[in-house]
């Protein structure tokens, strides 16, 4: 067997591999979309460990910023308590999904916050941070600043180019980072390191931004306090994205453990979603240049995940906890499906119908059934002991040749993060193994009493399945461990076991048992999205009791200037008058509203729309292009409780 050194390569120096996921916003609970990136990172980390690398796998939660603060306020909770609860949910989810991260960082960790202060102070010392006044558009949901030429203009509204939600105009004293200073250095780095950002089309998007020029970036806020204060000017809190990006170095010792930091930095792979590519591929590298640190080896920006063709959204009922899918189909099946059916790097759709098809076809038929047939015959004809291979014949050499071709392709594809293609290639080999088994006809060999040849065929067939279990170990760890148990392989699996044919030891027990995967009856199964979404959206009577619905008579109504959607209403609630702003101008004329008795949510926290305070919300029903206000049947006094 080929000698493999402790850290992974066949000879050579010690190798490390530092992989990160984005840190996830805690403004809402995790769902299958947020789990996708972490599962992919886990697969890559497991593969690198299998190859012998010393791996550090980082994930965590992003807990500062205006969006998180607003979510905490809406939940009626202290922001730290709110963050503590949601961070714990992410931790628990990763544990249940068997994610093998080495550290879980939170941006409210004291060590991280101190590192952020020191990092920004060093940027300032190097002349890259200055004070000024920011005037521009800001998207609270994306926590992103936009220039006038970047926002989307839709009628009188300005929308975020990323999420298409309204942005607000901000004018306040800020500190700025001289991002423009690093434009040429970044272009040079992209030229010298063509694989710095992948896939290629994401790299080209970043190059287009760089070639168009960079503007300095506002990096502090003074309008709220939920964040890391500037070291020498605590009235300013550091912009949430600057805070968040620094997690990649704070987690591994920057500023507090030099030996640890030097061991792991630079990161080998920042794994992110495409919507945050600009922050990771332009802003973060410029920040690192500012403090004199080497840049990460690679940023990989994968596509978005939808569910059954729809964007993941709580309101659509498809922002489902991935544990529901795991409970129904199994953790390995979900992991396999996410990588095999969704081409890694591109946008993809999570379809339960296709998941079930992959389970029934790829896993149960192609993989599991092959193992089942082999172990059944070994159990029947060799008393459950693995037979010894004898003289090689043509089909045996062909199978081995196909394996070594597959193995080499597997390395190349996994090393270049072409994960979907790697699984495609493995399944081609599974097809080869099935062909070998069927073409050699072991049942005929058994009938004819050709025991020696039968033993060779069954040995090679089981060795082929064993090799599949090794290659799929990063994707389906539980399944691979079950295969190892059935073939009595009790070593620590690593790359050496892929380098030669004939690792399984003749004479060892082979355990025939239940099929590896259970098929789903496609005629009777009910989708998780259909069953769980209903359960997740059910509320208790106590939940409903929190909503104060009242009748209200419209006294005045007028269009909001410079808006094509908004109408400002003055309504009578019996004991008081209220001002409500509603987006119904496309469906009702102001004069047609006066005198109507409508239903309003009376205990909704006030909000501002186009700078006008709205003290409640009216109820309306919409179907297609039709919208109708909810009114009452007959006369009733304003302020009557709806129950």
């Amino acid at each position: 067997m080929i000698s493999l050194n402790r850290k992974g390569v066949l000879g050579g120096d010690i190798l490390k591999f530092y992989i990160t996921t984005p840190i996830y916003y805690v403004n809402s609970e995790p769902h299958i979309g947020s789990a996708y990136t972490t599962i992919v990172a886990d697969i890559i980390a497991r593969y690198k460990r299998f190859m012998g690398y010393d791996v550090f796998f980082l994930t965590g939660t992003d807990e500062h910023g205006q969006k998180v603060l607003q979510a905490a306020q809406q939940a009626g909770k202290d922001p730290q308590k709110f963050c503590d609860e949601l961070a714990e949910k992410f931790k628990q989810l990763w544990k249940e999904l068997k994610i093998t991260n080495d550290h879980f960082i939170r941006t409210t960790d004291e060590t991280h916050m101190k590192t952020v202060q020191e990092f920004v102070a060093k940027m300032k010392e190097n002349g890259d941070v200055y004070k000024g006044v920011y005037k521009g558009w800001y998207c609270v949901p994306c926590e992103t600043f936009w220039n006038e030429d970047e926002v989307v203009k839709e009628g009188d509204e300005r929308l975020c180019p990323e999420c298409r939600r309204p942005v607000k105009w901000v004018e306040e004293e800020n500190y700025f980072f001289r991002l423009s200073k690093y434009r040429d250095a970044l272009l040079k780095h992209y030229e010298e390191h063509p694989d710095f950002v992948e896939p290629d089309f994401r790299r080209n998007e970043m190059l287009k931004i760089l070639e168009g020029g960079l503007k300095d970036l506002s990096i502090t806020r003074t309008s709220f306090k939920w964040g890391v204060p500037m070291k020498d000017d605590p009235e300013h809190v550091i912009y949430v994205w600057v805070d968040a990006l620094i997690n990649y170095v704070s987690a591994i010792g920057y500023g507090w453990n030099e030996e640890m930091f030097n061991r792991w930095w630079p990161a080998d792979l920042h794994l992110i979603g495409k919507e945050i590519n600009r922050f990771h591929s332009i802003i973060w590298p410029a920040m690192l240049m500012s403090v004199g640190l080497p840049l990460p080896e690679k940023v990989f920006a994968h596509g978005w995940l939808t569910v059954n063709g729809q964007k993941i959204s709580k309101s659509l009922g498809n922002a489902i906890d991935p544990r529901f899918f795991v409970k129904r189909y199994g953790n390995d099946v979900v992991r396999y499906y996410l990588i095999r059916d969704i081409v890694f790097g591109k946008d993809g759709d999570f379809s339960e119908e296709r998941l079930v098809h992959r389970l029934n076809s790829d896993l149960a038929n192609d993989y599991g059934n092959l193992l089942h047939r082999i172990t059944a015959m070994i159990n029947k004809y060799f008393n459950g002991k693995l037979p010894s291979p004898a003289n090689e014949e043509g089909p045996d050499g062909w199978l081995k040749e196909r394996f070594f071709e597959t193995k080499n392709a597997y390395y190349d594809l996994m090393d270049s993060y072409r994960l979907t293609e790697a699984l495609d290639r493995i399944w081609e080999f599974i097809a080869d193994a099935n062909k070998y088994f069927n073409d050699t006809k072991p049942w005929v060999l058994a009938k004819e009493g050709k025991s020696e040849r039968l033993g060779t065929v069954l040995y090679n067939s089981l060795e082929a399945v064993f090799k599949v279990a090794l290659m799929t170990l990063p994707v389906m760890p539980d399944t691979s461990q079950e295969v190892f148990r059935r073939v009595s392989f009790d070593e620590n699996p690593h790359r050496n076991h892929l380098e030669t044919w004939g690792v399984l030891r003749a004479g060892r027990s082979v355990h025939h048992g239940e099929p590896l995967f259970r098929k789903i009856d496609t005629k009777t199964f009910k989708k998780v999205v259909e069953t769980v979404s209903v359960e997740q959206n059910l509320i208790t009577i106590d939940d409903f009791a929190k909503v104060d619905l009242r009748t209200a008579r419209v006294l005045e109504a007028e269009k909001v200037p410079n808006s094509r959607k908004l109408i400002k209403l003055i309504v009578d609630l019996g004991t008081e008058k209220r001002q409500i702003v509603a987006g119904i101008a496309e469906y009702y004329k102001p004069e047609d509203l006066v005198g109507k008795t409508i239903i309003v949510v009376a205990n909704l926290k006030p909000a501002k729309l186009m700078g006008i305070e709205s003290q409640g919300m009216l109820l309306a029903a919409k179907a297609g292009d039709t919208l109708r206000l909810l009114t009452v049947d007959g006369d009733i006094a304003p302020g009557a409780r709806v129950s």
Side-chain angles (χ1 to χ4, degrees), residues 75 103 114 145 154 169 181 191 210 263 277 365 392 398 463 480 491 532 550 579 583 605-606 629 631:
H103 184 54
K114 184 177 180 181
F145 297 99
E154 192 172 281
W169 183 260
K181 171 182 172 181
E191 181 181 348
L210 288 169
R263 175 176 177 77
N277 194 15
N365 283 352
E392 182 176 295
W398 173 83
E463 179 77 11
S480 293
E491 298 179 44
V532 175
R550 303 274 178 173
Q579 175 176 283
K605 186 176 180 179
L629 293 176
T631 58

Side-chain angles (χ1 to χ4, degrees), residues 445-465:
L445 296 173
K447 187 176 181 179
E448 295 176 348
K450 297 179 179 179
S451 180
E452 185 177 272
R453 181 60 187 154
L454 174 62
T456 298
V457 168
L458 293 178
Y459 180 92
N460 285 331
S461 297
L462 196 63
E463 179 77 11
V465 172

Side-chain angles (χ1 to χ4, degrees), residues 47 51 401-429 471 495 498-499:
Y47 168 73
M51 296 297 286
E401 182 180 334
R402 292 296 295 152
F403 163 68
F404 285 111
E405 290 174 357
T406 300
K407 180 258 298 183
N408 292 333
Y410 170 76
Y411 289 157
D412 291 340
L413 293 168
M414 290 296 288
D415 286 339
S416 57
Y417 311 123
R418 293 153 66 189
L419 309 183
T420 305
E421 292 179 63
L423 282 181
D424 288 345
R425 192 59 187 263
I426 293 170
W427 251 255
E428 288 177 12
F429 178 65
M471 290 187 288
R495 179 180 175 176
L498 277 179
E499 294 300 325

Side-chain angles (χ1 to χ4, degrees), residues 250-297:
S250 71
I252 55 170
Y254 180 75
W256 58 273
N257 188 328
E258 185 177 356
E259 181 181 356
M260 181 182 181
F261 179 72
N262 291 335
R263 175 176 177 77
W264 294 111
W265 192 258
D268 295 275
L269 178 62
H270 285 325
L271 190 61
I272 61 168
K274 67 179 183 179
E275 72 280 6
I276 55 176
N277 194 15
R278 183 171 66 100
F279 293 101
H280 286 79
S281 299
I282 294 178
I283 295 173
W284 177 227
M287 290 168 58
L288 291 166
M289 289 178 177
S290 176
V291 299
L293 290 178
L295 272 54
E297 296 295 327

Side-chain angles (χ1 to χ4, degrees), residues 24-30 60-63 80-94 104-109:
Y24 301 102
Y25 267 132
V26 293
N27 64 314
S28 62
E29 297 194 18
T61 44
D62 185 359
E63 303 179 13
Q80 185 62 63
K81 185 175 186 297
F82 176 80
C83 291
D84 290 345
E85 291 175 356
L86 276 169
E88 192 56 40
K89 290 184 178 182
F90 276 90
K91 285 183 179 181
Q92 185 61 33
L93 175 60
W94 299 159
F104 187 99
I105 190 169
R106 299 177 56 188
T107 55
T108 53
D109 292 340

Side-chain angles (χ1 to χ4, degrees), residues 529-548:
V529 170
E530 293 173 349
T531 57
V532 175
S533 60
V534 174
E535 295 174 22
Q536 289 191 150
N537 289 324
L538 293 176
I539 64 172
T540 67
I541 190 66
D542 292 333
D543 294 326
F544 179 74
K546 295 176 184 177
V547 183
D548 187 8

Side-chain angles (χ1 to χ4, degrees), residues 364-492:
N365 283 352
D366 299 343
Y367 184 15
N369 189 49
L370 176 60
L371 175 65
H372 201 71
R373 294 164 74 194
I374 297 166
T375 57
M377 293 196 74
I378 293 173
N379 188 60
K380 182 175 181 179
Y381 297 107
F382 293 92
N383 296 316
K385 302 296 182 182
L386 182 62
S388 299
N391 296 328
E392 182 176 295
E393 297 185 10
D396 309 332
W398 173 83
L399 181 64
K400 294 176 187 178
E401 182 180 334
R402 292 296 295 152
F403 163 68
F404 285 111
E405 290 174 357
T406 300
K407 180 258 298 183
N408 292 333
Y410 170 76
Y411 289 157
D412 291 340
L413 293 168
M414 290 296 288
D415 286 339
S416 57
Y417 311 123
R418 293 153 66 189
L419 309 183
T420 305
E421 292 179 63
L423 282 181
D424 288 345
R425 192 59 187 263
I426 293 170
W427 251 255
E428 288 177 12
F429 178 65
I430 290 176
D432 293 333
N434 274 291
K435 175 177 170 57
Y436 170 82
F437 188 84
N438 292 328
D439 288 354
T440 53
K441 298 181 172 60
W443 54 91
V444 174
L445 296 173
K447 187 176 181 179
E448 295 176 348
K450 297 179 179 179
S451 180
E452 185 177 272
R453 181 60 187 154
L454 174 62
T456 298
V457 168
L458 293 178
Y459 180 92
N460 285 331
S461 297
L462 196 63
E463 179 77 11
V465 172
F466 171 66
K467 291 296 195 275
V468 169
L470 288 170
M471 290 187 288
T472 57
L473 178 62
V475 180
M476 298 189 291
D478 292 344
T479 300
S480 293
Q481 291 296 339
E482 175 60 16
V483 173
F484 299 155
R485 186 193 69 80
R486 294 191 186 193
V487 301
S488 294
F489 175 75
D490 54 7
E491 298 179 44
N492 181 35

